[in-house]
Amino acid sequence: MALKALDIYKLLPKKNCKECGDPTCLTFAMKLAQGKAEPDLCPYLDEEAKNILGASTRPPIQKVTVGMGTLSFTVGDEFVFYRHEKTFYHQPGILYAVSDTESDDRIREVISQVRGCKVTRIGIDLLLNGIAISADSGSSERFVAAISTVVSGNPDLPLVLMASEPAIMEAGLAVCGNYLPLIRGAGDKNIEEFCSLAKKYGAPLVVSGSDLQRLAANVTRCTGLGVTQMMLDLSGTEGEFVRTSTLVRQTALARSVPGLGYPVFLDARTTGFSGLITGIVKFASVIVVNPLSRTEMQAALVMRQNIYTDPQKPIQMTPGLYRVGTPGRDDPVFLTVNFSLTYFTLQGYLESTRRSCWLLIVDTEGMSVLTAVAAGKLSESVVKDAIEKFAVADEVNNKTIIIPGYASPLSGRIEEYTGWKVIVGPRDAAEIASFIEEELK
Ligand code: SF4
């Protein structure tokens, strides 16, 4: 069980020496309880206290990394059941499945779908994470050939190898084991063989079991055999998955069954898009799915981004000077804040007018216009700094800027401070078309 701050405090040396970087042992204890500090920062802990605190403060769901290099991804290391309690940290990897019974041309087609998939939202590129190769042919040679088709030219793409026969899995690992693929196939009957492969290739292992009790026991067996990087296979119908993943998350957070404190793997090939969405929402950390339509893929990536965004921090746009259409030197400059909802709403209305313009986004720490004005986060100095930093004067002939209606109290001060002429725009972005029609002919 996780210790509370006062329980942790009782284990500390109480010297208040500040060497851990905190002013007192009590504040250090509070940070340990919140998972914001490591016990090693205190040099005066005895071994017993270190062991107790290490077990109590390590993440309830272990961190696991799949693949190598820039496209590798990390999952697990989560601390809460509901995202509003803190945040979810590591978004699930989504991998498209191919079968070794498919032609090499089809496999290459799926690779290019994964490679070509990119949705840019709020200045962030949303990507698929890799390829899962399933040994359905029953032939080591064909499995190796399919893996070779994927790996050749794509060694950076994270992989999941799926084979229940240890000899076939070993043949596949001999081709790509250095890239640390996730290996799936370990169950009640072949745990020892799969643990040997996981250790030999340093690959993370997906473990299954006929029920949760057996699954936890299998994981404990793997731990005893020296495997540390594991995931729990909870694949099944959507209903079963929701039930078991919920139970596993609750159990892991309570630290009551050590064998369930690992990230969750979901094979959604039979449940498709609906299963993928269920997996994203209900705690899956790696999801394998058959290739989706572009619309489905975009919806899934956006859903994943929304759920794995810190709910306590507004989603922010990167401040800067953005183009709407193909603006020239005589087109207007609109100013707004970096609260993403404001940006996307305004951008949509501006695009619908078909009038090219510039959009200057200033940093208000993600606050909306009204809040930013009230909190002093949108001010004449913020506007001046943004105009200078993003060299707006180099792009336009007229030093005129259109500010949101809710920022009208600042118009005079912005004019004085920046030397730019200020026009007060509408309060509501929906009125932008009529504003342009009437004021900017
Ligand atoms: Fe207390 Fe240890 Fe921090 Fe010193 S280093 S203040 S003894 S917790």
Side-chain angles (χ1 to χ4, degrees):
M1 293 287 284
L3 293 177
K4 296 203 166 64
L6 275 179
D7 300 323
I8 294 173
Y9 177 68
K10 288 176 191 161
L11 297 166
L12 297 181
K14 304 180 192 64
K15 286 171 177 274
N16 292 332
C17 64
K18 303 186 177 64
E19 288 184 42
C20 55
D22 275 285
T24 64
C25 294
L26 183 59
T27 53
F28 184 60
M30 290 165 74
K31 275 197 183 164
L32 283 175
Q34 293 165 359
K36 292 179 177 169
E38 294 293 328
D40 290 349
L41 289 171
C42 172
Y44 304 109
L45 282 180
D46 60 35
E47 280 310 308
E48 191 189 357
K50 269 188 198 167
N51 289 339
I52 296 171
L53 290 177
S56 159
T57 58
R58 75 165 168 258
I61 300 169
Q62 198 182 84
K63 192 193 287 187
V64 172
T65 299
V66 180
M68 293 192 72
T70 52
L71 296 183
S72 67
F73 61 93
T74 297
V75 294
D77 202 16
E78 302 288 352
F79 291 84
V80 293
F81 189 83
Y82 298 108
R83 68 188 278 274
H84 64 259
E85 293 175 273
K86 195 171 186 184
T87 184
F88 294 164
Y89 289 100
H90 295 110
Q91 63 180 16
I94 302 173
L95 297 94
Y96 275 2
V98 294
S99 166
D100 67 354
T101 57
E102 292 177 290
S103 69
D104 289 348
D105 282 347
R106 172 61 188 159
I107 292 174
R108 284 192 203 95
E109 197 181 307
V110 175
I111 295 168
S112 60
Q113 282 178 33
V114 171
R115 283 270 184 216
C117 147
K118 184 167 96 172
V119 176
T120 303
R121 184 165 176 263
I122 330 165
I124 298 169
D125 291 339
L126 312 181
L127 308 169
L128 291 172
N129 297 88
I131 296 275
I133 306 154
S134 174
D136 301 322
S137 67
S139 150
S140 297
E141 290 74 27
R142 188 53 214 145
F143 191 44
V144 165
I147 294 171
S148 302
T149 302
V150 175
V151 171
S152 120
N154 301 283
D156 56 338
L157 214 49
L159 299 179
V160 177
L161 303 189
M162 304 195 289
S164 53
E165 180 57 51
I168 293 180
M169 181 62 83
E170 173 136 39
L173 281 167
V175 180
C176 68
N178 290 340
Y179 303 132
L180 302 186
L182 179 65
I183 57 176
R184 184 217 187 185
D188 295 341
K189 295 188 181 135
N190 57 13
I191 286 281
E192 279 79 12
E193 292 99 321
F194 268 83
C195 283
S196 310
L197 293 175
K199 280 167 62 185
K200 181 174 174 185
Y201 292 93
L205 178 65
V206 180
V207 181
S208 65
S210 46
D211 55 38
L212 284 186
Q213 210 172 0
R214 185 60 73 89
L215 174 59
N218 285 345
V219 169
T220 306
R221 273 170 77 196
C222 295
T223 311
L225 291 167
V227 177
T228 54
Q229 292 267 292
M230 280 177 280
M231 297 190 66
L232 310 174
D233 195 343
L234 300 185
S235 306
T237 65
E238 283 183 65
E240 284 164 1
F241 178 76
V242 169
R243 186 181 63 77
T244 53
S245 67
T246 303
L247 198 54
V248 163
R249 182 70 154 219
Q250 287 168 334
T251 309
L253 294 178
R255 299 172 198 257
S256 52
V257 181
L260 296 182
Y262 293 85
V264 165
F265 176 91
L266 172 62
D267 180 352
R269 283 179 294 171
T270 53
T271 49
F273 175 67
S274 162
L276 169 62
I277 295 298
T278 302
I280 293 171
V281 174
K282 295 305 286 184
F283 316 123
S285 286
V286 167
I287 308 169
V288 171
V289 66
N290 286 325
L292 302 166
S293 71
R294 186 158 180 77
T295 313
E296 289 173 329
M297 179 269 294
Q298 288 173 334
L301 293 178
V302 169
M303 161 79 86
R304 181 179 69 174
Q305 185 193 34
N306 282 342
I307 289 179
Y308 282 80
T309 300
D310 188 343
Q312 296 174 41
K313 289 187 194 154
I315 303 177
Q316 300 179 23
M317 278 297 297
T318 306
L321 183 63
Y322 291 79
R323 287 177 159 81
V324 179
T326 50
R329 298 190 64 81
D330 293 317
D331 284 315
V333 180
F334 287 87
L335 176 142
T336 195
V337 294
N338 70 330
F339 177 42
S340 67
L341 192 58
T342 302
Y343 170 82
F344 283 111
T345 306
L346 180 59
Q347 185 203 33
Y349 279 113
L350 284 171
E351 281 177 349
S352 69
T353 68
R354 300 183 185 279
R355 166 80 190 256
S356 291
C357 61
W358 301 90
L359 195 48
L360 177 61
I361 306 297
V362 299
D363 185 0
T364 55
E365 300 176 14
M367 291 181 189
S368 65
V369 175
L370 198 56
T371 314
V373 171
K377 298 293 180 188
L378 178 57
S379 64
E380 60 277 19
S381 61
V382 169
V383 176
K384 182 171 187 274
D385 289 349
I387 288 173
E388 289 172 0
K389 183 173 177 186
F390 302 117
V392 185
D394 293 348
E395 302 288 354
V396 294
N397 291 327
N398 296 321
K399 291 174 76 175
T400 302
I401 195 157
I402 302 159
I403 65 171
Y406 282 118
S408 60
L410 303 174
S411 60
R413 295 209 297 276
I414 293 174
E415 281 199 342
E416 273 174 38
Y417 211 68
T418 62
W420 283 54
K421 180 183 172 192
V422 171
I423 297 175
V424 176
R427 288 184 169 191
D428 190 335
E431 295 163 13
I432 207 84
S434 54
F435 170 82
I436 288 175
E437 182 71 25
E438 289 160 18
E439 305 289 333
L440 305 178
K441 285 180 206 162

